[in-house]
Amino acid sequence: MSTPTTVQELLASMGAAGRRLDQMGACEAGAGNISVCTAAPVELDELFPHTEPLELPWTVPTLAGRTVLVTGSGSRLRDVADAPTATVAAITVQPGGTTGILHYGDDRTYARPTSELNSHLAVHADQIAARGVEFQALVHAQPPYLVSLSHVAALRSTAAFNKAVLRWEPETIVQLPAGIGVLDFMVPGSQELMENNIAGLRAHQIVLWSKHGIMVRSDDSPLAAVDKVEYAEAGAMYEYRNRCMGGLAEGLSDEDLHRVVVAFDVPTELF
């Protein structure tokens, strides 16, 4: 899957990701948000001809000169494909990283970018500082099986959750070699959630916000990020259904999963 580069390609991938999340029941109404951050030059004037100053909710000097495309607050992710300029904001981060220029289209329907812009900006900045990435996509959504399991107290730890969810399909450990990082419940949009989410996404590609949702990162595209969500959600679905059956199914054993890890040379320490 090639990385999108033009604004049209970026918006198309965001739209495809939003549609897939909607099909999964993971972004009811205006829930969920998507962003991409790119260091490549992006031509915004044709689709986003209007501008206004924007004070950023978090200081991100490492993003200076970069472009961030992000869904607007209250925008339905299922609408991004058909109405990208109505639902997506383009932000060019200014020197110093405290302000940006908001670029928007003629049909803008949102008042401001997503209320979780702080988490998106902070993760983009942290990953750039840590890994020097030129492109990154972030997706936040509420996949129903993953969120349902996060309400089970006994599963609300990284070790317990991964043991439960990774045991149903051999593909899951291959696609998520670091597993899923699990956070306790924290208020949406809060600095507490933002800071813990940053740390979680350093160690994991996907982090579960207990009793709320997930955030997943990809160096390829928004749609590639949603692919990872699908693998995690499938594992959560099997675990949920097994619990509904009284725990009759055994799933893959640790030994089974270790054999998969060896066969596919998976870079993991989980099994």
Side-chain angles (χ1 to χ4, degrees), residues 6-250:
T6 68
V7 67
Q8 290 85 357
E9 291 172 341
L10 291 165
L11 292 171
S13 187
M14 292 175 73
R19 277 184 171 164
R20 184 67 191 110
L21 290 169
D22 181 55
Q23 292 166 354
M24 294 166 62
C27 55
E28 66 277 7
N33 32 76
I34 301 171
S35 74
V36 296
C37 178
T38 180
V42 179
E43 176 54 54
L44 299 174
D45 291 346
E46 180 179 355
L47 295 178
F48 299 97
H50 309 289
T51 63
E52 62 184 48
L54 178 69
E55 185 175 344
L56 300 180
W58 192 248
T59 301
V60 284
T62 56
L63 298 189
R66 299 190 180 227
T67 299
V68 177
L69 296 178
V70 62
T71 50
S73 180
S75 296
R76 298 177 182 87
L77 296 189
R78 61 179 177 267
D79 292 341
V80 174
D82 293 329
T85 56
T87 54
V88 175
I91 301 168
T92 50
V93 181
Q94 299 303 289
T98 61
T99 62
I101 296 175
L102 175 66
H103 304 252
Y104 59 94
D106 294 328
D107 55 349
R108 169 181 173 178
T109 58
Y110 54 87
R112 60 188 183 281
T114 174
S115 60
E116 286 164 339
L117 180 61
N118 61 343
S119 286
H120 283 263
L121 292 176
V123 172
H124 285 309
D126 188 70
Q127 290 292 316
I128 288 167
R131 301 190 296 120
V133 294
E134 295 292 297
F135 176 93
Q136 183 172 242
L138 294 174
V139 172
H140 166 58
Q142 283 83 267
Y145 289 104
L146 287 164
V147 174
S148 292
L149 293 182
S150 77
H151 286 266
V152 179
L155 294 180
R156 213 155 42 240
S157 73
T158 296
F161 202 87
N162 281 297
K163 189 171 182 63
V165 169
L166 299 181
R167 66 185 178 131
W168 296 109
E169 291 186 327
E171 293 88 350
T172 313
I173 187 61
V174 177
Q175 294 296 325
L176 299 172
I180 301 164
V182 178
L183 304 180
D184 288 331
F185 175 76
M186 300 172 195
V187 175
S190 67
Q191 183 167 330
E192 178 189 28
L193 176 58
M194 178 197 69
E195 292 176 353
N196 282 275
N197 185 56
I198 292 171
L201 284 169
R202 288 174 187 158
H204 306 273
Q205 193 172 358
I206 181 169
V207 167
L208 176 67
W209 303 353
S210 287
K211 305 179 182 181
H212 179 180
I214 55 93
M215 182 171 274
V216 58
R217 59 177 173 82
S218 171
D219 295 345
D220 298 313
S221 70
L223 192 54
V226 174
D227 286 343
K228 303 300 182 184
V229 178
E230 288 196 57
Y231 283 108
E233 179 71 345
M237 176 193 67
Y238 285 118
E239 177 65 21
Y240 180 92
R241 290 180 175 178
N242 186 46
R243 287 171 175 258
C244 292
M245 295 189 302
L248 296 176
E250 61 181 12

